[in-house]
Amino acid sequence: GQQLNQSPQSMFIQEGEDVSMNCTSSSIFNTWLWYKQDPGEGPVLLIALYKAGELTSNGRLTAQFGITRKDSFLNISASIPSDVGIYFCAGQLRLFGNEKLTFGTGTRLTIIP
Amino acid sequence: GAGVSQSPSNKVTEKGKDVELRCDPISGHTALYWYRQRLGQGLEFLIYFQGNSAPDKSGLPSDRFSAERTGESVSTLTIQRTQQEDSAVYLCASSSWVENTEAFFGQGTRLTVV
């Protein structure tokens, strides 16, 4: 099935650094979502975006819905150890209800001691 | 319930056997989704329910895979004649169309076919 292009695939950073990751699609979506997955757990929703150009923050996390509706960005400022995990973007085309989510390939974040 | 519940959490089965995976969505959520996640991979869409109907089952990999939902609640994903390539974590999520909520995921069922 289709998966969105997400980059980078992995990141190795030091605690306190800022992190940026992005997601691109060949088709448009009217909803972009960012999830975080810890080992052995299901993905947990971090941020939801509903409008092209929208910039939304949730604590140290900031995400943007690209103007073309084909991309989205997630930034994490001043990273801490609990930020370690895999981050997934997901696009959704909501027309008549909550249609399926199409996920990105994931970005694995590791913090170097 | 408070969240999406999946059972069993782990399942080991012999190749060729049938398995049933269960998902209990958040109470009142009309939409229910099944995804598959292979080790180290992203989430692969399988099927989506709106109520008891499946408007999109395009992700089911073969006719060995089927799913049903009853009472706009519990869903069962059935895999017949399991193969080793079916080994993965199967994740279920639910959302509310009426309340326009986002999708919340369960912890998944880890299926190992030996």
Side-chain angles (χ1 to χ4, degrees):
Chain A
Q2 180 194 8
Q3 285 196 320
L4 308 180
N5 295 316
Q6 193 172 338
S7 64
Q9 188 175 13
S10 59
M11 301 185 74
F12 296 85
I13 64 166
Q14 292 188 322
E15 184 176 348
E17 286 186 25
D18 296 345
V19 170
S20 290
M21 60 191 77
N22 70 77
C23 197
T24 60
S25 169
S26 57
S27 54
I28 63 171
F29 295 108
N30 56 21
T31 300
W32 280 95
L33 307 164
W34 285 91
Y35 286 85
K36 178 175 181 274
Q37 187 177 31
D38 292 328
E41 303 289 327
V44 173
L45 181 67
L46 300 174
I47 284 185
L49 302 152
Y50 305 104
K51 191 175 174 182
E54 179 182 0
L55 187 71
T56 296
S57 292
N58 178 9
R60 295 178 296 105
L61 277 62
T62 302
Q64 183 158 28
F65 191 140
I67 296 231
T68 65
R69 294 188 288 168
K70 291 184 179 182
D71 58 2
S72 180
F73 304 84
L74 176 70
N75 296 315
I76 305 172
S77 62
S79 58
I80 61 177
S82 61
D83 291 335
V84 167
I86 304 177
Y87 292 80
F88 290 100
C89 63
Q92 189 178 32
L93 188 62
R94 294 185 170 193
L95 298 173
F96 307 107
N98 297 46
E99 280 79 11
K100 71 180 183 185
L101 291 87
T102 301
F103 279 84
T105 47
T107 296
R108 181 182 295 273
L109 180 62
T110 303
I111 293 183
I112 306 167
Chain B
V4 178
S5 177
Q6 291 188 246
S7 60
S9 54
N10 281 284
K11 175 73 177 178
V12 180
T13 190
E14 291 181 352
K15 178 181 171 182
K17 294 280 180 69
D18 298 351
V19 294
E20 283 189 354
L21 312 180
R22 177 187 169 105
C23 174
D24 282 272
I26 293 172
S27 179
H29 278 194
T30 52
L32 187 148
Y33 316 79
W34 283 99
Y35 285 83
R36 178 170 70 178
Q37 187 175 30
R38 291 200 167 102
L39 187 63
Q41 303 294 313
L43 280 76
E44 177 188 5
F45 170 76
L46 296 178
I47 187 170
Y48 148 68
F49 287 91
Q50 187 65 265
N52 293 332
S53 301
D56 191 345
K57 52 180 80 171
S58 62
L60 294 177
S62 73
D63 58 9
R64 295 187 297 105
F65 288 73
S66 63
E68 66 174 14
R69 189 179 185 197
T70 56
E72 297 196 358
S73 180
V74 172
S75 176
T76 303
L77 177 69
T78 301
I79 309 174
Q80 296 179 310
R81 304 181 302 282
T82 51
Q83 304 294 313
Q84 286 187 326
E85 65 261 26
D86 299 334
S87 296
V89 175
Y90 289 82
L91 289 157
C92 174
S94 71
S95 67
S96 169
W97 180 65
V98 171
E99 296 176 7
N100 203 29
T101 67
E102 305 314 329
F104 294 90
F105 280 82
Q107 291 195 316
T109 293
R110 180 176 297 278
L111 175 67
T112 304
V113 182
V114 297

